[in-house]
Amino acid sequence: MENNNPKKICILGSTGSIGTQALEVIAAHPDLFEAYVLTAGRNADLLIAQARAFQPSAVVIADKTQYAKVSEALDDLPIQVYAGEDALQQVCQMDPVDVVLTALVGFAGLRPTIAAVKAGKTIALANKETLVVAGELVTRLCLENRVAVLPVDSEHSAIFQSLMGEDDNAIEKIILTASGGPFRTFSLEQMQTVTAAQALRHPNWDMGAKITIDSATMMNKGFEVIEARWLFDVPAERIQVVVHPQSILHSAVEFEDGAVVGQMGMPDMKIPIQLALSYPKRLKSDFPRVDWYKLSQMTFEAPDLERFPCLAQAYRAIRMGGGAPCVLNAANEVVNLAFRQERCRFLQMADIVAECLTRMPAVKEPSLEDYLALDAETRKLATSLL
Ligand code: NDP
């Protein structure tokens, strides 16, 4: 019998760019989706407003100092209020939750995602850092627990959509498109002096601050190669990054007969968010459509690893394997924040990441404890190099 109850969604990071857009999707389809749990890092005011609007069963504010504020503000409602990062792991295991949307940023996503996987919840994955850090471990746990991971990242959603109905057909290669970010046409010399304010002006996408900087350095594309490697079980050598500044082709798959199947659309994250929640159905929407007469051109070019050394470091970490991608991520989180706070120059970010990859010891087949230790040690090293 078909279950007509709305899917109960736990949004980890409901106050962020992906989280707020997911709530817009949920609000548009109250018959299909219910915001069952909402969680925030520090933005208590927005979490309170969201909780009053969506009336979830539970909310979590990761920053414990804000617990009293959130709890008092929601006192008149039957909403459980929790605080602290450990609570994130508990709420995504709650029995009624059907889907956990991992829309929080950075390494903080790893433990809650693992908890959700172990509880058998379907994962709508936005938090790419989880697969960058611990792709091997998380993929194994998903297989053991028969958990489906539905990609939210637009490129991975495009690859996923290109593979629909192709179960028996081998992938020859994945074509992972990249906008090239705000500095695509800058010379190395110009990049010496770019500021965070410039880097935060992405030409095509309106995203959270961390991923916007990662897009400007193209570290984001390196992360996406790692994410695609684990999601689709295709080695990195067969994932080709192609710069496509118009961001209309969101990625594609080339099959063994030479046919290329891709997914196109306007650069609007609500499309992949909605599909991850509604899969396998597509829902009618009023999201912007491509105007084919106005779209004068679609261009493609190779990425320049010299001007975008972070992408080169991501490839290096992939080749190193083991704990290296975890080191890559931790060092990047430190320099990304430092750049936003004007404590690090744009090109210095790649130098520090490279130094951390060189200096951190190799760890083969890391356990969760190994990842936690590597992350903490790398952060110390990267901070000392600033
Ligand atoms: P934002 O910075 O906009 O939002 C991050 C969310 O995570 C906020 O709700 C924030 O809470 C919360 N958060 C931050 N740190 C912690 C923590 N330590 N513990 C608990 N919660 C925390 O990020 P985005 O929405 O842009 O990105 C989220 C994820 O999705 C990232 O992994 C990103 O790479 C990925 N992604 C994003 C895309 C986009 O278009 N934005 C596209 C593709 C992938 P608060 O604000 O309350 O502090």
Side-chain angles (χ1 to χ4, degrees):
M1 225 169 66
E2 205 180 337
N3 177 0
N4 289 322
N5 294 329
K7 267 189 207 168
K8 293 183 167 51
I9 321 282
C10 165
I11 306 182
L12 301 176
S14 63
T15 49
S17 161
I18 294 287
T20 49
Q21 293 180 84
L23 282 173
E24 285 179 46
V25 168
I26 292 175
H29 300 281
D31 49 330
L32 298 178
F33 309 125
E34 177 184 337
Y36 193 79
V37 180
L38 301 178
T39 84
R42 289 199 202 142
N43 191 342
D45 290 329
L46 184 54
L47 181 65
I48 292 164
Q50 291 178 340
R52 297 202 78 84
F54 287 87
Q55 311 255 332
S57 280
V59 297
V60 179
I61 181 92
D63 176 4
K64 286 182 177 169
T65 64
Q66 309 234 38
Y67 172 75
K69 176 174 177 176
V70 178
S71 162
E72 277 163 32
L74 300 178
D75 203 23
D76 59 323
L77 296 171
I79 299 175
Q80 290 167 286
V81 179
Y82 303 101
E85 296 217 358
D86 287 349
L88 296 176
Q89 296 174 56
Q90 288 159 23
V91 288
C92 52
Q93 293 179 309
M94 285 169 84
D95 248 354
V97 168
D98 297 305
V99 179
V100 174
L101 170 61
T102 65
L104 72 181
V105 64
F107 186 86
L110 177 63
R111 275 183 293 183
T113 307
I114 288 181
V117 170
K118 286 187 172 165
K121 308 299 185 191
T122 298
I123 307 293
L125 185 104
N127 179 256
K128 65 188 86 187
E129 292 90 345
T130 287
L131 286 186
V132 171
V133 169
E136 204 167 348
L137 174 70
V138 173
T139 308
R140 181 166 52 73
L141 289 173
C142 287
L143 284 172
E144 283 171 12
N145 292 281
R146 295 166 185 253
V147 158
V149 180
L150 301 167
V152 169
D153 218 347
S154 58
E155 293 79 358
H156 303 75
S157 178
I159 297 161
F160 183 77
Q161 292 175 61
S162 305
L163 289 170
M164 283 182 187
E166 301 280 2
D167 293 356
D168 297 330
N169 294 321
I171 299 172
E172 190 164 281
K173 78 177 185 200
I174 285 176
I175 296 125
L176 188 73
T177 53
S179 71
F183 307 135
R184 182 176 60 88
T185 58
F186 278 43
S187 67
L188 256 182
E189 202 189 344
Q190 284 173 300
M191 284 199 215
Q192 303 278 4
T193 54
V194 293
T195 63
Q198 282 173 291
L200 285 168
R201 279 195 293 273
H202 195 281
N204 302 347
W205 298 96
D206 182 12
M207 310 179 285
K210 193 250 176 190
I211 185 177
T212 307
I213 300 300
D214 286 346
S215 299
T217 60
M218 289 194 78
M219 179 61 92
N220 182 51
K221 213 43 62 179
F223 282 178
E224 289 180 5
V225 172
I226 303 175
E227 186 184 5
R229 184 257 167 277
W230 294 113
L231 282 175
F232 306 108
D233 195 21
V234 170
E237 309 82 72
R238 289 201 276 123
I239 302 173
Q240 183 179 19
V241 172
V242 177
V243 176
H244 163 49
Q246 298 80 18
S247 297
I248 295 294
L249 175 65
H250 297 302
S251 281
V253 174
E254 191 170 300
F255 292 97
E256 287 185 316
D257 59 354
V260 178
V261 178
Q263 183 256 326
M264 296 194 265
M266 292 301 285
D268 183 338
M269 283 309 296
K270 286 208 281 286
I271 299 175
I273 292 170
Q274 176 171 287
L275 184 65
L277 298 184
S278 70
Y279 180 79
K281 280 197 182 146
R282 289 186 187 273
L283 305 178
K284 194 169 164 53
S285 85
D286 58 2
F287 307 149
R289 304 306 202 243
V290 177
D291 183 336
W292 297 101
Y293 291 156
K294 281 202 183 133
L295 179 74
S296 57
Q297 57 174 359
M298 281 174 61
T299 58
F300 301 94
E301 62 199 48
D304 181 345
L305 296 186
E306 247 180 66
R307 285 185 304 122
F308 294 97
C310 279
L311 181 55
Q313 292 307 319
Y315 280 122
R316 179 179 165 208
I318 295 169
R319 284 193 300 276
M320 291 165 77
C326 173
V327 170
L328 178 83
N329 178 72
N332 183 61
E333 286 196 29
V334 170
V335 295
N336 180 307
L337 181 64
F339 175 66
R340 279 181 275 151
Q341 297 175 339
E342 296 178 8
R343 290 183 288 117
C344 180
R345 281 172 291 107
F346 188 75
L347 291 173
Q348 198 189 357
M349 287 193 272
D351 294 342
I352 292 177
V353 170
E355 191 66 20
C356 288
L357 281 172
T358 303
R359 293 198 2 204
M360 287 300 294
V363 183
K364 280 196 181 141
E365 291 179 31
S367 64
L368 178 57
E369 289 65 36
D370 293 330
Y371 285 125
L372 296 172
L374 259 183
D375 177 77
E377 285 304 311
T378 307
R379 281 169 197 267
K380 272 192 223 154
L381 175 59
T383 305
S384 74
L385 294 170
L386 279 170

